[in-house]
Amino acid sequence: MDKVLVVSYGGAGAAMADTLYRSGGGFPRFSIYVADRQRNPLNARLTQETSGKHAVIPDLSVDEIYRFASEIDDLKFVLVGHEGPIINGIADMIEDGLGVPVLAPRKKYALEAS
């Protein structure tokens, strides 16, 4: 299974993780990893059911998210569901540092900061 990291603040991140989980048509297609602001029960269950990992990072620090991402062997891509890490450059850090695609704008294009 391909490994995917979801950066989740709340409902939007949980919806992304759930969509990834359901995309397999009843069979897990992705191993889901979640960097979560709090222990979201849905995210925790999805990571467990797909042999992923759930990490609680209360402030969604980009340094801590990067550290968590760097521990995932063969990470295929990252989805970011909260503007804080986008504004703070998480896409730049992961794409430049790990060579993993991030589905979020790079820092200089973060309209959320304006």
Side-chain angles (χ1 to χ4, degrees):
M1 276 192 286
D2 288 336
K3 297 175 183 177
V4 179
L5 171 61
V6 177
V7 178
S8 178
Y9 181 83
M16 286 190 279
D18 189 47
T19 299
L20 288 169
Y21 180 77
R22 293 172 186 245
S23 70
F27 300 96
R29 181 175 172 191
F30 298 102
S31 184
I32 301 170
Y33 292 73
V34 178
D36 214 342
R37 184 180 69 93
Q38 71 276 329
R39 189 187 180 283
N40 179 299
L42 175 63
N43 288 342
R45 180 177 61 82
L46 296 177
T47 59
Q48 183 178 16
E49 290 182 12
T50 62
S51 300
K53 185 175 178 184
H54 186 255
V56 175
I57 303 172
D59 61 356
L60 289 180
S61 155
V62 292
D63 293 327
E64 288 299 310
I65 296 168
Y66 180 85
R67 184 193 57 73
F68 181 55
S70 70
E71 294 173 356
I72 304 169
D73 293 331
D74 300 319
L75 180 62
K76 293 298 177 194
F77 63 91
V78 178
L79 295 168
V80 183
H82 182 59
E83 64 272 1
I86 294 171
I87 293 166
N88 292 319
I90 194 63
D92 304 62
M93 289 177 74
I94 291 176
E95 288 181 347
D96 296 346
L98 302 177
V100 175
V102 178
L103 284 94
R106 293 178 73 83
K107 186 174 183 173
K108 71 179 181 180
Y109 298 112
L111 297 176
E112 296 85 356
S114 61

